[in-house]
Amino acid sequence: MGLPFIVLNYKTYLQGTGQGAVEIAKACKAVSEESGIEIAVAPQLPDIYRVASEVELPVFSQHLDGIGAGSFTGHVFGKSIKEAGAVGTLINHSEKRLTLAEIEASLKAAKEFGLRSIICTNNVPTTAAAAALGPDYVAIEPPELIGSGIPVSKADPEVVSGSVEAVAKIDPRVKVLCGAGISKGEDLRAALDLGSQGVLLASGIVKAADPKAALEDLIRLV
Ligand code: G3P
């Protein structure tokens, strides 16, 4: 197996807002260059342009609506985030849930604008359903473990391995990430040993006193 893919979701954490978004991205870029591991960041929408302009690393949107140009006040338009510098998007994060029809429409918009797609899911059946839509990645994140500091890869290994198995049967081209409570080297190692190809994480790095040191700890057992 190759190197993992790490996606850092800033959510609306203060530390990852405005100039903080740029500083954390710089830490991610430094660790990515040292290690060769691809690290992407998902700042808040208004920070996408500033992060993408100042730091050369993959920037994802936290959300994308399945709409086109026109009368869609307050929506997130694929062309807009692409032009702001995003190369991909989260879809259906647990904190920004969508209906199945909306997920499909968001994914279609991501594909239309050449954006990489990560559909977030909460259990094995939803992971299987998401994989059937054909995104680049699914990210399994049990909501009860999000922000808990209890790693999914240790607290609920079956949901990770079950997702990996389900996706392999449905569409082996879809890659599986896992997330919730991941922050340390052993959490990432356990996630990879369960067959996932990377992690989607947030608080353990964004809220760390030293995000670069936290990232270095995260990847130390890869
Ligand atoms: O999108 C990542 C996320 O929901 C996991 O959050 O803070 O448990 O790493 P956290």
Side-chain angles (χ1 to χ4, degrees):
M1 194 201 122
L3 291 171
F5 180 38
I6 294 173
V7 185
L8 183 60
N9 177 6
Y10 291 4
K11 307 198 173 186
T12 58
Y13 288 129
L14 273 182
Q15 296 89 333
T17 300
Q19 187 55 29
V22 174
E23 298 311 320
I24 294 174
K26 285 181 181 164
C28 291
K29 181 177 163 63
V31 174
S32 176
E33 280 180 349
E34 284 161 17
S35 62
I37 294 173
E38 184 179 27
I39 304 179
V41 295
Q44 291 161 62
L45 297 169
D47 290 326
I48 289 178
Y49 182 74
R50 111 194 253 159
V51 172
S53 305
E54 294 188 40
V55 191
E56 207 179 305
L57 90 173
V59 179
F60 276 55
S61 176
Q62 295 182 8
H63 171 69
L64 172 66
D65 285 304
I67 50 95
S71 305
F72 297 103
T73 304
H75 289 69
V76 180
F77 179 28
K79 183 171 171 60
S80 172
I81 59 165
K82 174 95 180 180
E83 295 214 355
V87 300
T89 186
L90 303 182
I91 295 171
N92 192 46
H93 190 278
S94 243
E95 293 151 10
K96 189 71 180 165
R97 279 273 166 80
L98 303 175
T99 64
L100 186 57
E102 288 166 337
I103 293 170
E104 201 265 337
S106 293
L107 180 63
K108 195 169 160 218
K111 290 185 175 174
E112 180 180 348
F113 294 105
L115 295 162
R116 293 162 70 184
S117 50
I118 301 174
I119 300 184
C120 301
T121 60
N122 61 322
N123 55 31
V124 175
T126 59
T127 302
L133 297 173
D136 296 305
Y137 296 87
V138 291
I140 167 68
E141 297 197 313
E144 65 281 8
L145 295 175
I146 291 178
S148 68
I150 303 169
V152 59
S153 48
K154 290 195 174 158
D156 196 354
E158 297 78 16
V159 82
V160 181
S161 54
S163 293
V164 169
E165 274 169 38
V167 172
K169 280 186 203 141
I170 288 165
D171 186 346
R173 292 168 301 180
V174 177
K175 300 181 188 74
V176 179
L177 308 178
C178 68
I182 303 280
S183 66
K184 306 215 170 315
E186 48 268 34
D187 308 340
L188 173 57
R189 183 68 261 162
L192 301 177
D193 291 344
L194 290 166
S196 74
Q197 284 148 304
V199 288
L200 172 60
L201 77 171
S203 53
I205 307 294
V206 179
K207 293 170 79 180
D210 181 345
K212 182 165 184 278
L215 281 164
E216 283 166 343
D217 180 65
L218 177 75
I219 62 162
R220 87 191 134 79
L221 299 177
V222 169

